[in-house]
Structure formats: C-alpha cells, structure tokens
Amino acid sequence: MDNWSLVSMCVLLGLTTRWAVSFNSYSGASKPPMFGDYEAQRHWQEVAYNLPVHEWYLNTTDNNLSYWGLDYPPLTAYHSLLCAYVAKLINPAWVELHTSRGYESSSHKLFMRTTVLIADILLYIPAVFLYCFYLSNGSSKKKVATALCILLYPGLILIDYGHFQYNNVSLGLALWGVVGLGSGWDLLGSLAFTLALNYKQMELYHSLPFFCYLLGKCIKQGLVGRGLFLLLKISLSVLATFALCWLPFLSEPQQVLQVLHRLFPVARGLFEDKVANTWCSLNVLIKIKTLLSRDAQLLLSLALTFLFVLPSSIKLLTKPTMWQFKLALVNSSLAFFLFSFQVHEKSILLPALPHRLSAVLCLACSMLPLLLKDGLLLPYAVTSLAFLFLCVYLLSALHRSSQELHLGSCYNLTRGCLSARNFSLLVKCAFGISMAAMAVLSTASAALEPPARLPDLFPVLVSIFSCMHFLASLLYFNFVQLTEPPSRRGQKKTN
C-alpha cells in the first residue's frame, strides 16, 4: 500500500470517528436555563450577527453577559459571525435575537457539528499531517501511524464534538505555527501562532516557547545584523496581526479594557469545579481560597507559574533548536495548567498537543467528571481504548518507550542498581499500573455512588490522580530538556 493510500485511510478513520462521536449527547442538552456549551456557541452566533461589534463584549439590554457572554478573543467572535451568516441562510430562527435562546433541533445539531468538522478538515488535520511528515523522524508508515494516533486523541474529539469549543481551530493554528518554525518560515509561523492567540487566550500556555525560540534565534544570528532584521520583521508582523484582529475595538481605550476584562475573569477566583491542577488538589488539605485573599492568590499563582516555566524558557533562549522548542511547549503548557490562575478542565488540551502516550491518556481522564456530566461516558471509553490500542500496536510504544520518551538520562541515574532490562521492565510496570488505576477510577466514577458526606469523592480522586501525573511529567520533561542533549540526527533534521 502506497503512502497516499495510508494517508487517505488515516484521514477517513479520523473523520469517521469524529462523526460517530458527534451523534452522542452534548453539553447542556435539554437542561435549562443555561443549556451548556452548545447553547453558548449558538448564542455567540446570535450576538455576533444581531449586535454591532462594539456591543459584543458589553452588558446591554440585548446582550446579558451573565447568559453566556462572549469571553474569548475577537477572532472567535469573527468565527461566530461567519457561522451565523451561514446559519441565517439555512434557518433564520437559529440566530434570531432573544427568541432563539435555548434553541435545539436535530437540524441545528447537524449544522453545529458540521462547522466543527469543517474546522478539522481545513485547519487541524492538514497541520497534523505536515507536522508528522516534515518534523518527525521514522518511516512513512510510522509517520502515518503517528498522525492517526494524534487525530484519534479522545480529549479533543469529545470536547470539540460534545462541547463545540472549536479547540481544533486554536490548536490547529498553533500547530501550523510549529510547522512554520520547523520549516524555517519564521514569519508564517509567528503569524499562525498570533492568530491562535487571538482565537483563544489559553494559547498563552504556548506563548513563551514561541517567544523564546524566535528571540533566541535572532540573538544567535546577531542583534546588529541579520538577527536584528529578523526580529524587526517578526515584531512588525505580530503587531500588525494583533492590530487587524482588534481593529474594531481600538477606537476607544475603554472597549479594549472591557474585552480584556472578559478574557481574564479574575473575579471568578483561583479555580472552578474539580480541575486537575495544583490548587484544586491542594485545596483538599489547605483551603487556599479561605486563607488567602484573591490578590494574594493571584500573586502566588503568577509567581509559581513563572518559577516553573523559567528554566525551560532560559534553556530554549540560549539553545533555540526545534528539539528544545518541542520540550519547552510541553513544560510551559504543563506549568501554566498546574499553577496559573482560573484554569478550566478543558485547558488540559493544550499540553496534549505536544505530549506522548500515557500522559495523553491521563489528560483525557482528567476531564472525566466533565464528560460524565454530559453523558459522554461511552464515547470516552471507546475512544480511549481505541487510542491506547493504536498507539501501542502501531507505534510499539512500550517496546520503544526509552527512545520515544528520552529515558536514557533516567537510566543513567539508575545504572548502578538496575540493569537495562530491569529498567525497561520498571517503565512498563509503571505504565501498566497507571493505566489500571485510570480504568478503576473511570469505572468507579461511572458505576458507584459516592458516600453522602463525600459527594465529590470521585471527581476529587480523579483530580488528584491526574495532577500527580502532570506534576511528574512536568518534572521529568524539565529534567530531559535541561540535561539531555539532542541526538546528532535529530539536531540535523530539526534545527
């Protein structure tokens, strides 16, 4: 079978899985008065189509911000407007001001899911294949297998086709940015990532690696010659892109401040729900929200996020290679998720972009309470098992774990007490125990009733279990980035 046939089969399987998942339940179905994320996306289309731009982020009689007020950057609003124009042509009732609130029908559900699928086809899937074929090592079959595993990642499919969050747009644009930088197209790469940042503010999780890689590259070329010229070109392209995206709001400073206020809702507090980050897990023992003022919480989260992202950023700045860049993406996104202010469960999709097998499955598991609430247990179980099987079978993940996860540095630390065979066995046992614990937690959360005095027992256990995995991943990948040099082959290919 030739490469094009493999690619076609991979795309077909990815699209079929997405479409099959889309016929299950979705967030907020028939649950007034808010109706969930499905209604949020529909309502944004209603607002964007019927109201002038300057009212999109303002609380008015026609735009009640307490009812799914727009809280993403302007590019998301423009996307909602584009979808609204199409919706208006098909059925004006879908975006009618006020009267369309809580609208649900099979035809509108099909329309909404089609918009997510189109975003996948136009942005995310092409970026995945370009990344796997041009920035990854291995045979063509292995590259196709890698692309298939990325496309079948359960978390992104379940959230985008169950919550209509269009994370495929922001992640797709960010991945286009990675492809651009990896191919030497720095202007296009920075432009793509700037668009991603203007679509979802959570792309700040990836912003420091992009900044440090590009600045480090400019410094390496010399800040009095080629490097300075490259820095000016990148800076002007980024500023121009921001200006174009924010142009309708730049007439008055108050409008810009209002948009920023909506994008960064500090008033909501340090965390919400049972998100699998440090603050929610620590809150089981220490009631941080009670002990510290909101300003103190904000400063503490800012300080710890900066502290954990600093070593990775400095290393990338001084050694701007693609190998370091990819590791920095993992470390930065994990640090932001674990320690930053006002983190949502779905933000874990950002570390998933550059992550590997066991940690990626845990990323999906961390959203289990959210998925259960929305009736997505069966799709979660099926897609997780399919993803695990494909990764292990197609990529021989366990057999090549040392190579894929750069475990050589860890083995060097244990060489005195463990043979290579025993070390490999230890890695496989740890993987197996992690998967088994994940399965037990998932089953217990779905099948058992928690004690009456501990109604949040299972969500808290999932949160703490996932948080421990993420902390271990953060420490490990920082260790890899700071201590292990890239191989000559990898350096030659990706620098």
Side-chain angles (χ1 to χ4, degrees), residues 37 101 119 194 413:
D37 288 334
R101 181 172 292 192
T194 304
L413 293 177

Side-chain angles (χ1 to χ4, degrees), residues 342-376:
Q342 185 48 226
V343 170
H344 195 278
E345 304 106 306
K346 286 168 277 193
S347 299
I348 198 58
L349 294 174
L350 293 150
L353 182 65
H355 237 61
R356 283 285 181 180
L357 175 61
S358 61
V360 166
L361 280 171
C362 193
L363 301 180
C365 178
S366 71
M367 295 186 289
L368 179 60
L370 180 67
L371 299 175
L372 287 175
K373 185 171 66 174
D374 295 325
L376 294 171

Side-chain angles (χ1 to χ4, degrees), residues 163-465:
H163 284 254
F164 305 92
Q165 293 286 291
Y166 299 101
N167 292 287
N168 52 3
V169 175
S170 58
L171 291 176
L173 288 169
L175 196 51
W176 275 106
V178 174
V179 171
L181 299 192
S183 304
W185 304 331
D186 295 328
L187 282 180
L188 291 177
S190 57
L191 172 63
F193 181 71
T194 304
L195 291 174
L197 190 55
N198 278 283
Y199 192 87
K200 282 188 183 287
Q201 64 270 37
M202 285 80 76
E203 279 300 328
L204 284 169
Y205 287 28
H206 293 143
S207 60
L208 273 176
F210 274 88
F211 174 79
C212 291
Y213 175 82
L214 290 168
L215 181 58
K217 188 172 182 178
C218 293
I219 294 172
K220 195 173 181 180
Q221 292 184 10
L223 286 180
V224 292
R226 289 175 55 200
L228 178 61
F229 183 60
L230 177 61
L231 181 61
L232 289 174
K233 286 196 300 182
I234 293 172
S235 301
L236 288 174
S237 67
V238 170
L239 291 173
T241 305
F242 264 101
L244 285 173
C245 290
W246 287 70
L247 188 60
F249 308 97
L250 297 179
S251 58
E252 297 180 16
Q254 191 60 37
Q255 286 192 36
V256 176
L257 293 176
Q258 174 62 18
V259 176
L260 291 174
H261 174 72
R262 293 295 301 164
L263 300 188
F264 302 101
V266 176
R268 291 183 186 176
L270 187 58
F271 63 88
E272 290 181 301
D273 296 327
K274 301 299 181 289
V275 61
N277 74 346
T278 304
W279 307 123
C280 183
S281 301
L282 191 61
N283 194 66
V284 175
L285 299 176
I286 304 173
K287 303 301 179 184
I288 303 171
K289 283 188 171 183
T290 305
L291 293 176
L292 299 178
S293 66
R294 191 172 65 198
D295 290 342
Q297 295 170 28
L298 183 60
L299 289 174
L300 179 62
S301 65
L302 180 64
L304 283 179
T305 304
F306 178 75
L307 178 66
F308 276 89
V309 84
L310 186 62
S312 172
S313 300
I314 292 175
K315 184 63 181 288
L316 178 60
L317 187 64
T318 57
K319 199 168 188 177
T321 66
M322 280 304 295
W323 182 84
Q324 288 284 331
F325 176 57
K326 292 176 185 178
L327 288 172
L329 286 172
V330 177
N331 291 324
S332 176
S333 53
L334 278 173
F336 269 86
F337 180 81
L338 285 167
F339 299 106
S340 61
F341 196 89
Q342 185 48 226
V343 170
H344 195 278
E345 304 106 306
K346 286 168 277 193
S347 299
I348 198 58
L349 294 174
L350 293 150
L353 182 65
H355 237 61
R356 283 285 181 180
L357 175 61
S358 61
V360 166
L361 280 171
C362 193
L363 301 180
C365 178
S366 71
M367 295 186 289
L368 179 60
L370 180 67
L371 299 175
L372 287 175
K373 185 171 66 174
D374 295 325
L376 294 171
L377 173 63
L378 182 59
Y380 161 76
V382 172
T383 54
S384 296
L385 289 173
F387 178 80
L388 176 62
F389 171 76
L390 286 169
C391 285
V392 174
Y393 177 73
L394 293 179
L395 296 179
S396 301
L398 296 183
H399 178 68
R400 286 196 289 266
S401 59
S402 294
Q403 177 186 350
E404 295 290 336
L405 295 176
H406 301 280
L407 293 174
S409 298
C410 288
Y411 171 62
N412 290 335
L413 293 177
T414 62
R415 181 174 292 179
C417 55
L418 284 176
S419 65
R421 181 179 179 182
N422 288 337
F423 180 77
S424 178
L425 181 62
L426 179 64
V427 171
K428 293 177 182 180
C429 287
F431 176 84
I433 292 170
S434 178
M435 293 299 101
M438 215 175 296
V440 169
L441 269 178
S442 299
T443 304
S445 299
L448 300 180
E449 284 291 331
R453 60 189 184 89
L454 297 172
D456 295 326
L457 175 64
F458 294 125
V460 169
L461 288 177
V462 169
S463 172
I464 295 173
F465 173 78

Side-chain angles (χ1 to χ4, degrees), residues 11-250:
V11 172
L12 183 61
L13 183 56
L15 293 178
T16 302
T17 303
R18 281 160 162 73
W19 199 245
V21 168
S22 73
F23 283 98
N24 284 276
S25 180
Y26 57 87
S27 172
S30 303
K31 294 178 181 177
M34 298 301 286
F35 297 99
D37 288 334
Y38 176 92
E39 168 63 9
Q41 295 293 335
R42 190 217 57 78
H43 179 64
W44 293 348
Q45 295 174 20
E46 171 196 345
V47 168
Y49 185 84
N50 291 287
L51 301 182
V53 176
H54 69 272
E55 290 187 16
W56 285 355
Y57 294 90
L58 291 177
N59 193 46
T60 65
T61 53
D62 288 327
N63 185 24
N64 181 6
L65 293 182
S66 64
Y67 184 80
W68 297 120
L70 190 60
D71 54 4
Y72 283 118
L75 207 56
T76 289
Y78 304 149
H79 182 207
S80 296
L81 180 61
L82 177 62
C83 292
Y85 273 110
V86 179
K88 183 75 173 180
L89 291 174
I90 300 173
N91 187 344
W94 292 351
V95 289
E96 199 69 37
L97 188 64
H98 301 313
T99 59
S100 63
R101 181 172 292 192
Y103 188 98
E104 293 179 330
S105 71
S106 57
S107 58
H108 186 256
K109 188 194 308 181
L110 178 64
F111 166 75
M112 292 289 283
R113 281 168 174 162
T114 302
T115 62
V116 179
L117 190 66
I118 290 173
D120 262 331
I121 294 172
L122 295 180
L123 279 175
Y124 187 69
I125 293 177
V128 167
F129 275 103
L130 283 175
Y131 174 82
C132 291
F133 273 86
Y134 292 100
L135 295 182
S136 299
N137 294 323
S139 65
S140 296
K141 288 186 177 181
K142 181 184 176 183
K143 291 176 179 179
V144 172
T146 302
L148 180 59
C149 289
I150 294 174
L151 292 178
L152 294 181
Y153 167 55
L156 184 60
I157 294 175
L158 294 171
I159 293 301
D160 273 0
Y161 288 85
H163 284 254
F164 305 92
Q165 293 286 291
Y166 299 101
N167 292 287
N168 52 3
V169 175
S170 58
L171 291 176
L173 288 169
L175 196 51
W176 275 106
V178 174
V179 171
L181 299 192
S183 304
W185 304 331
D186 295 328
L187 282 180
L188 291 177
S190 57
L191 172 63
F193 181 71
T194 304
L195 291 174
L197 190 55
N198 278 283
Y199 192 87
K200 282 188 183 287
Q201 64 270 37
M202 285 80 76
E203 279 300 328
L204 284 169
Y205 287 28
H206 293 143
S207 60
L208 273 176
F210 274 88
F211 174 79
C212 291
Y213 175 82
L214 290 168
L215 181 58
K217 188 172 182 178
C218 293
I219 294 172
K220 195 173 181 180
Q221 292 184 10
L223 286 180
V224 292
R226 289 175 55 200
L228 178 61
F229 183 60
L230 177 61
L231 181 61
L232 289 174
K233 286 196 300 182
I234 293 172
S235 301
L236 288 174
S237 67
V238 170
L239 291 173
T241 305
F242 264 101
L244 285 173
C245 290
W246 287 70
L247 188 60
F249 308 97
L250 297 179

